[in-house]
Amino acid sequence: MAKAYKITSDPFFVNGSVTESGANTYTQQEISLPLDSLNQEGILVHAVYFTGSDPDRVANLSSFLDFQVTATSKTGIVGANDANLIAMQQKVTTGGAAEFSGPHVIEMIGQNAPYQESDNLMIVATDNVFLAIKGLNQTGAAGCQFRMVCSRVKLDAAAYAALVTNELTS
């Protein structure tokens, strides 16, 4: 059976960061990828790791911070059913009158465990990804950072065309 891609590099890291433009405001940062699109090259994502601010401790409220990496630009936090979502993490702090629980980390897609080269979250065929953050019940702007473990891949013509079309029309 023919394969749609062949891995052409050892794993490497792509890193980035974003800070909300204001408290509780969806903010997105474009991160460039080192791709050779003329040779139908793509990026195979093995894992995504997030770090960043913890949710504020607000009495009698749950506060949230959502982090996501997508293959296309978005206007808000997306769900697991979005075909271009690479990874997402949510941090939650629950507040009572004077006591707090958290922050609790909820891995939606992605992982905090050590990656294996056989782990495949997505193949990205365009030369960028988008890191985003959005808070809820925060008193100030928050920030996050990510590290994406990936390898370069050479795609066959049909796979490259399908992936680029999907990313550009989504």
Side-chain angles (χ1 to χ4, degrees):
M1 177 177 200
K3 289 182 100 174
Y5 67 89
K6 179 182 182 210
I7 296 175
T8 60
S9 76
D10 288 331
F12 63 94
F13 300 126
V14 173
N15 304 303
S17 63
V18 65
T19 301
E20 283 181 300
S21 57
N24 307 310
T25 304
Y26 178 81
T27 307
Q28 175 178 269
Q29 179 69 41
E30 183 175 353
I31 310 294
S32 295
L33 297 176
L35 283 180
D36 180 3
S37 56
L38 292 176
N39 288 314
Q40 299 173 334
E41 193 173 59
I43 295 289
L44 175 62
V45 179
H46 300 293
V48 176
Y49 302 102
F50 293 100
T51 61
S53 303
D54 287 333
D56 291 338
R57 293 173 173 248
V58 181
N60 299 313
L61 287 175
S62 291
S63 57
F64 297 83
L65 284 174
D66 292 330
F67 311 142
Q68 74 181 17
V69 176
T70 56
T72 57
S73 180
K74 301 294 177 186
T75 58
I77 297 296
V78 299
N81 63 334
D82 188 292
N84 291 300
L85 178 64
I86 299 170
M88 180 183 181
Q89 183 182 86
Q90 184 177 76
K91 289 185 175 182
V92 181
T93 298
T94 303
E99 67 285 341
F100 297 91
S101 174
H104 304 285
V105 175
I106 303 166
E107 294 290 338
M108 304 300 216
I109 296 177
Q111 61 186 13
N112 271 331
Y115 79 95
Q116 303 291 321
E117 279 190 58
S118 59
D119 293 340
N120 300 323
L121 293 178
M122 177 179 277
I123 296 177
V124 179
T126 54
D127 59 356
N128 49 27
V129 293
F130 298 86
L131 172 64
I133 185 171
K134 167 92 170 64
L136 177 65
N137 296 325
Q138 298 295 298
T139 58
C144 80
Q145 305 82 39
F146 86 113
R147 170 170 280 180
M148 188 166 71
V149 183
C150 42
S151 297
R152 286 185 179 84
V153 293
K154 171 76 167 123
L155 297 157
D156 70 23
Y160 183 77
L163 286 169
V164 169
T165 299
N166 175 61
E167 290 176 33
L168 294 179
T169 60
S170 296

